[in-house]
Amino acid sequence: MAPMPLSPINVGHIDDVQEIRKAKPTSIPNRFVRNKAERPSLSSISPLSSSSTIPVVDLSKVVQGSRDEFHREISNLAVSCEEWGFFQVINHGIRLDLLESIEKVATDFFMLPLEEKQKYPMAPGTVQGYGQAFVFSEDQKLDWCNMFALGVEPHFIKMPKLWPKKPLNFSETVEEYSREIRTLCQKLLSFIAMSLGLNKDTFEDMFGVAVQAVRMNYYPPCPRPDLVLGLSPHSDGSALTVLQQGKGSSVGLQILKDNTWVPVQPVPNALVINIGDTIEVLTNGRYKSVEHRAVTHKDKDRLSIVTFYAPSYEVELGPIPQLVNENSPCKYRRYSHGEYNKYYVTNKLQGKKTLEFAKIQAQN
Ligand code: OGA
Ligand code: NI
């Protein structure tokens, strides 16, 4: 029998958020207006209380500190990953001018005319190019955000046709930035392994040629930030995510801690790191892949440059045996990262729902 033709998915018309702003600066199309339960209650957030500040990890103390400083910072890292799943890293070793250059090419790209950006379209149901990812139906609400995403490594995930010719130095900058971020991810993973009492090369040895992708998110100002979301709540499918917030951007990233949305206050020149689903599974839930979202601002726009770092697709994942014991019975099954990735990119962003894929169902 002939195989059933795959029906193309119908995602309806997706308005470009920057163009909506230009055409009608004070109104919001219905498709962006969230149902009441999903709207961000912006007033209930207290950004100033210190208990609601995500931890800061000073990488220079780990790399070149005294023994004491090293141990203190590694335990700071452990607590950050266990209790927050998020931290900001300072003295990360990435050149400031490179952070500035990537921000500049990303901003210049988003400021190009729509026709130019649309030369690199994200096809419905795919995750690379310019547009909105994770939209799978006509009635799904949209995020107040324009995205541009590219696969970077290994070579076969790269789609050269989607790498823009303008701004001129876009590709070289993304490539250089990605090399540096890759090294940072490798360092962080070795410190994360040490913080778990594992051999420092545990993840590096396991991951093969790691998959790396970059997504630039541009959130234009929104006349009614209380009605929309910049980015729907989700956890990342990666092992680690590195997020750079544009200088002078409004506060927008929020993480869910103890059932409260906690805003991430930008620290100058720091990078925000978060644990993805893969590390949650490998550590049998000890290090958390925490749900997060982005909200918008009435007058200010916001840019983020996000790198996802994950194992090679053929790598088999499951809790690391040393982290499974009587007190911490095995919570996740074994699967390949490729299977997980496929599942992740074909489902809409919905909190931590994608991790259900990996959970061992309770027996009764
Ligand atoms: C992401 C993400 C948050 C932000 O791209 O996965 O969580 O602040 N972005 O842009
Ligand atoms: Ni994310």
Side-chain angles (χ1 to χ4, degrees):
M1 208 168 79
M4 290 273 287
L6 281 175
S7 58
I9 57 171
N10 180 9
V11 298
H13 179 72
I14 298 182
D15 279 313
D16 182 279
V17 183
Q18 284 165 273
E19 300 304 313
I20 298 174
R21 283 281 302 171
K22 279 186 209 152
K24 290 189 182 150
T26 56
S27 77
I28 299 170
N30 196 37
R31 227 183 143 187
F32 291 84
V33 177
R34 296 284 168 157
N35 303 327
K36 282 220 168 65
E38 285 185 330
R39 291 180 192 167
S41 54
L42 301 170
S43 54
S44 66
I45 291 160
S46 62
L48 296 175
S49 114
S50 65
S51 63
S52 66
T53 308
I54 73 161
V56 173
V57 171
D58 184 343
L59 214 61
S60 67
K61 297 220 167 101
V62 184
V63 176
Q64 63 209 31
S66 65
R67 258 181 86 97
D68 272 3
E69 283 174 329
F70 172 84
H71 287 297
R72 226 175 306 143
E73 216 51 20
I74 290 284
S75 56
N76 178 21
L77 178 64
V79 173
S80 308
C81 296
E82 277 175 355
E83 294 179 7
W84 291 83
F86 264 84
F87 55 92
Q88 308 214 47
V89 60
I90 56 168
N91 298 321
H92 42 61
I94 297 190
R95 295 192 333 264
L96 225 74
D97 66 290
L98 196 51
L99 299 184
E100 282 164 6
S101 312
I102 193 81
E103 191 180 323
K104 167 109 177 60
V105 292
T107 307
D108 289 353
F109 177 80
F110 283 111
M111 296 310 139
L112 291 171
L114 183 63
E115 309 82 74
E116 186 63 32
K117 293 184 278 188
Q118 281 179 337
K119 290 180 183 164
Y120 313 99
M122 188 183 287
T126 70
V127 287
Q128 290 195 47
Y130 179 74
Q132 284 226 7
F134 305 105
V135 183
F136 300 100
S137 73
E138 247 181 323
D139 50 13
Q140 191 181 326
K141 292 289 180 188
L142 297 176
D143 291 335
W144 194 262
C145 175
N146 287 337
M147 289 180 171
F148 186 50
L150 295 168
V152 178
E153 286 270 9
H155 201 68
F156 66 83
I157 70 162
K158 209 165 172 175
M159 300 176 72
K161 281 203 183 114
L162 295 179
W163 286 62
K165 304 215 170 27
K166 286 185 197 165
L168 272 185
N169 49 348
F170 185 96
S171 298
E172 297 106 86
T173 309
V174 170
E175 266 160 5
E176 192 185 355
Y177 178 80
S178 296
R179 275 195 300 275
E180 297 271 324
I181 297 282
R182 195 170 180 88
T183 308
L184 175 65
C185 288
Q186 289 159 349
K187 274 192 215 163
L188 286 168
L189 283 170
S190 73
F191 301 141
I192 286 173
M194 286 191 249
S195 75
L196 290 157
L198 302 170
N199 179 304
K200 73 173 179 31
D201 298 323
T202 304
F203 299 116
E204 184 70 10
D205 289 348
M206 189 189 296
F207 280 17
V209 182
V211 172
Q212 185 177 352
V214 63
R215 185 160 72 217
M216 300 164 175
N217 302 309
Y218 178 70
Y219 305 95
C222 179
R224 290 292 303 272
D226 55 326
L227 299 181
V228 309
L229 286 173
L231 186 60
S232 303
H234 65 282
S235 63
D236 294 345
S238 56
L240 272 190
T241 302
V242 179
L243 181 144
Q244 177 181 337
Q245 314 209 54
K247 269 214 175 84
S249 289
S250 59
V251 180
L253 174 60
Q254 299 181 336
I255 71 175
L256 190 60
K257 183 163 197 304
D258 307 327
N259 273 322
T260 308
W261 288 103
V262 177
V264 175
Q265 300 289 339
V267 168
N269 304 322
L271 293 165
V272 179
I273 312 293
N274 69 282
I275 298 291
D277 295 346
T278 303
I279 293 288
E280 174 164 330
V281 169
L282 291 172
T283 63
N284 199 29
R286 184 151 147 202
Y287 284 4
K288 309 280 182 318
S289 169
V290 165
E291 190 173 336
H292 52 284
R293 69 181 185 185
V295 296
T296 61
H297 191 279
K298 201 160 186 309
D299 312 302
K300 288 190 194 161
D301 58 359
R302 178 165 175 270
L303 173 74
S304 65
I305 297 146
V306 187
T307 300
F308 302 101
Y309 186 88
S312 181
Y313 292 133
E314 74 282 0
V315 172
E316 260 230 9
L317 300 171
I320 294 173
Q322 291 101 302
L323 302 175
V324 177
N325 54 46
E326 265 172 42
N327 298 330
S328 177
C330 188
K331 295 194 184 86
Y332 307 96
R333 64 183 181 88
R334 296 190 73 79
Y335 56 88
S336 75
H337 182 64
E339 287 173 70
Y340 191 65
N341 185 64
K342 192 164 166 198
Y343 181 80
Y344 190 93
V345 300
T346 50
N347 282 278
K348 67 174 184 173
L349 297 178
Q350 213 177 348
K352 288 198 66 168
K353 215 155 170 233
T354 36
L355 207 50
E356 296 295 322
F357 173 91
K359 284 203 177 125
I360 292 175
Q361 301 307 322
Q363 309 276 313
N364 48 19

